[in-house]
PDB file of all heavy atoms in Angstrom:
ATOM      1  N   HIS U 735     -49.229  14.204  23.911  1.00  0.00           N
ATOM      2  CA  HIS U 735     -50.616  13.839  23.305  1.00  0.00           C
ATOM      3  C   HIS U 735     -50.387  13.797  21.831  1.00  0.00           C
ATOM      4  O   HIS U 735     -49.828  14.691  21.157  1.00  0.00           O
ATOM      5  CB  HIS U 735     -51.547  14.914  23.716  1.00  0.00           C
ATOM      6  CG  HIS U 735     -52.879  14.720  23.065  1.00  0.00           C
ATOM      7  ND1 HIS U 735     -53.736  13.692  23.538  1.00  0.00           N
ATOM      8  CD2 HIS U 735     -53.651  15.287  22.044  1.00  0.00           C
ATOM      9  CE1 HIS U 735     -54.855  13.686  22.730  1.00  0.00           C
ATOM     10  NE2 HIS U 735     -54.747  14.760  21.834  1.00  0.00           N
ATOM     11  N   GLY U 736     -50.972  12.814  21.214  1.00  0.00           N
ATOM     12  CA  GLY U 736     -50.932  12.699  19.724  1.00  0.00           C
ATOM     13  C   GLY U 736     -49.753  11.726  19.276  1.00  0.00           C
ATOM     14  O   GLY U 736     -49.506  11.587  18.089  1.00  0.00           O
ATOM     15  N   PHE U 737     -48.858  11.436  20.166  1.00  0.00           N
ATOM     16  CA  PHE U 737     -47.765  10.404  19.816  1.00  0.00           C
ATOM     17  C   PHE U 737     -48.331   9.085  19.625  1.00  0.00           C
ATOM     18  O   PHE U 737     -48.816   8.422  20.455  1.00  0.00           O
ATOM     19  CB  PHE U 737     -46.733  10.411  20.961  1.00  0.00           C
ATOM     20  CG  PHE U 737     -45.567  11.268  20.733  1.00  0.00           C
ATOM     21  CD1 PHE U 737     -45.785  12.557  20.429  1.00  0.00           C
ATOM     22  CD2 PHE U 737     -44.279  10.895  20.792  1.00  0.00           C
ATOM     23  CE1 PHE U 737     -44.739  13.493  20.337  1.00  0.00           C
ATOM     24  CE2 PHE U 737     -43.273  11.647  20.701  1.00  0.00           C
ATOM     25  CZ  PHE U 737     -43.403  13.013  20.417  1.00  0.00           C
ATOM     26  N   GLY U 738     -48.251   8.669  18.347  1.00  0.00           N
ATOM     27  CA  GLY U 738     -48.758   7.205  18.024  1.00  0.00           C
ATOM     28  C   GLY U 738     -47.585   6.327  17.935  1.00  0.00           C
ATOM     29  O   GLY U 738     -46.390   6.657  18.215  1.00  0.00           O
ATOM     30  N   PRO U 739     -47.717   5.116  17.555  1.00  0.00           N
ATOM     31  CA  PRO U 739     -46.741   4.057  17.422  1.00  0.00           C
ATOM     32  C   PRO U 739     -45.574   4.475  16.554  1.00  0.00           C
ATOM     33  O   PRO U 739     -44.424   4.317  16.680  1.00  0.00           O
ATOM     34  CB  PRO U 739     -47.263   2.843  16.893  1.00  0.00           C
ATOM     35  CG  PRO U 739     -48.824   2.916  17.186  1.00  0.00           C
ATOM     36  CD  PRO U 739     -48.952   4.479  17.129  1.00  0.00           C
ATOM     37  N   MET U 740     -45.983   5.166  15.406  1.00  0.00           N
ATOM     38  CA  MET U 740     -44.886   5.625  14.345  1.00  0.00           C
ATOM     39  C   MET U 740     -44.015   6.723  15.071  1.00  0.00           C
ATOM     40  O   MET U 740     -42.764   6.593  14.902  1.00  0.00           O
ATOM     41  CB  MET U 740     -45.582   6.209  13.216  1.00  0.00           C
ATOM     42  CG  MET U 740     -44.551   6.598  12.116  1.00  0.00           C
ATOM     43  SD  MET U 740     -43.907   5.252  11.289  1.00  0.00           S
ATOM     44  CE  MET U 740     -45.134   4.705  10.204  1.00  0.00           C
ATOM     45  N   ALA U 741     -44.591   7.656  15.752  1.00  0.00           N
ATOM     46  CA  ALA U 741     -43.753   8.665  16.364  1.00  0.00           C
ATOM     47  C   ALA U 741     -42.870   8.120  17.349  1.00  0.00           C
ATOM     48  O   ALA U 741     -41.681   8.544  17.527  1.00  0.00           O
ATOM     49  CB  ALA U 741     -44.692   9.780  16.950  1.00  0.00           C
ATOM     50  N   TRP U 742     -43.365   7.243  18.154  1.00  0.00           N
ATOM     51  CA  TRP U 742     -42.445   6.486  19.250  1.00  0.00           C
ATOM     52  C   TRP U 742     -41.387   5.713  18.609  1.00  0.00           C
ATOM     53  O   TRP U 742     -40.321   5.588  19.001  1.00  0.00           O
ATOM     54  CB  TRP U 742     -43.309   5.694  20.156  1.00  0.00           C
ATOM     55  CG  TRP U 742     -44.111   6.393  21.200  1.00  0.00           C
ATOM     56  CD1 TRP U 742     -45.404   6.683  21.271  1.00  0.00           C
ATOM     57  CD2 TRP U 742     -43.381   7.197  22.194  1.00  0.00           C
ATOM     58  NE1 TRP U 742     -45.688   7.411  22.420  1.00  0.00           N
ATOM     59  CE2 TRP U 742     -44.509   7.807  23.007  1.00  0.00           C
ATOM     60  CE3 TRP U 742     -42.204   7.330  22.688  1.00  0.00           C
ATOM     61  CZ2 TRP U 742     -44.390   8.595  24.075  1.00  0.00           C
ATOM     62  CZ3 TRP U 742     -41.996   8.169  23.752  1.00  0.00           C
ATOM     63  CH2 TRP U 742     -43.023   8.722  24.531  1.00  0.00           C
ATOM     64  N   GLY U 743     -41.647   5.128  17.552  1.00  0.00           N
ATOM     65  CA  GLY U 743     -40.671   4.458  16.665  1.00  0.00           C
ATOM     66  C   GLY U 743     -39.545   5.325  16.326  1.00  0.00           C
ATOM     67  O   GLY U 743     -38.329   4.969  16.346  1.00  0.00           O
ATOM     68  N   VAL U 744     -39.926   6.500  15.742  1.00  0.00           N
ATOM     69  CA  VAL U 744     -38.954   7.542  15.276  1.00  0.00           C
ATOM     70  C   VAL U 744     -38.102   7.845  16.538  1.00  0.00           C
ATOM     71  O   VAL U 744     -36.741   8.083  16.438  1.00  0.00           O
ATOM     72  CB  VAL U 744     -39.617   8.711  14.703  1.00  0.00           C
ATOM     73  CG1 VAL U 744     -38.605   9.843  14.449  1.00  0.00           C
ATOM     74  CG2 VAL U 744     -40.296   8.255  13.280  1.00  0.00           C
ATOM     75  N   VAL U 745     -38.666   8.152  17.637  1.00  0.00           N
ATOM     76  CA  VAL U 745     -37.958   8.647  18.855  1.00  0.00           C
ATOM     77  C   VAL U 745     -36.998   7.519  19.231  1.00  0.00           C
ATOM     78  O   VAL U 745     -35.803   7.833  19.596  1.00  0.00           O
ATOM     79  CB  VAL U 745     -38.939   9.027  19.992  1.00  0.00           C
ATOM     80  CG1 VAL U 745     -38.197   9.169  21.285  1.00  0.00           C
ATOM     81  CG2 VAL U 745     -39.739  10.268  19.607  1.00  0.00           C
ATOM     82  N   LEU U 746     -37.466   6.269  19.295  1.00  0.00           N
ATOM     83  CA  LEU U 746     -36.541   5.226  19.806  1.00  0.00           C
ATOM     84  C   LEU U 746     -35.368   4.920  18.778  1.00  0.00           C
ATOM     85  O   LEU U 746     -34.205   4.805  19.189  1.00  0.00           O
ATOM     86  CB  LEU U 746     -37.398   3.916  19.902  1.00  0.00           C
ATOM     87  CG  LEU U 746     -38.370   3.913  21.097  1.00  0.00           C
ATOM     88  CD1 LEU U 746     -39.183   2.659  21.101  1.00  0.00           C
ATOM     89  CD2 LEU U 746     -37.603   4.035  22.348  1.00  0.00           C
ATOM     90  N   LEU U 747     -35.640   5.056  17.509  1.00  0.00           N
ATOM     91  CA  LEU U 747     -34.611   4.863  16.534  1.00  0.00           C
ATOM     92  C   LEU U 747     -33.585   6.026  16.532  1.00  0.00           C
ATOM     93  O   LEU U 747     -32.402   5.729  16.381  1.00  0.00           O
ATOM     94  CB  LEU U 747     -35.195   4.768  15.089  1.00  0.00           C
ATOM     95  CG  LEU U 747     -35.939   3.450  14.773  1.00  0.00           C
ATOM     96  CD1 LEU U 747     -36.457   3.441  13.378  1.00  0.00           C
ATOM     97  CD2 LEU U 747     -34.834   2.362  14.877  1.00  0.00           C
ATOM     98  N   ASN U 748     -34.024   7.280  16.862  1.00  0.00           N
ATOM     99  CA  ASN U 748     -33.039   8.428  16.914  1.00  0.00           C
ATOM    100  C   ASN U 748     -32.217   8.216  18.247  1.00  0.00           C
ATOM    101  O   ASN U 748     -31.117   8.594  18.282  1.00  0.00           O
ATOM    102  CB  ASN U 748     -33.890   9.785  16.958  1.00  0.00           C
ATOM    103  CG  ASN U 748     -34.114  10.246  15.565  1.00  0.00           C
ATOM    104  OD1 ASN U 748     -33.377   9.836  14.547  1.00  0.00           O
ATOM    105  ND2 ASN U 748     -35.237  10.927  15.423  1.00  0.00           N
ATOM    106  N   GLY U 749     -32.866   7.802  19.258  1.00  0.00           N
ATOM    107  CA  GLY U 749     -32.086   7.495  20.466  1.00  0.00           C
ATOM    108  C   GLY U 749     -31.107   6.365  20.249  1.00  0.00           C
ATOM    109  O   GLY U 749     -29.967   6.474  20.791  1.00  0.00           O
TER     110      GLY U 749
END
Side-chain angles (χ1 to χ4, degrees):
H735 179 71
F737 264 50
M740 185 72 78
W742 282 111
V744 169
V745 168
L746 290 175
L747 286 177
N748 280 329

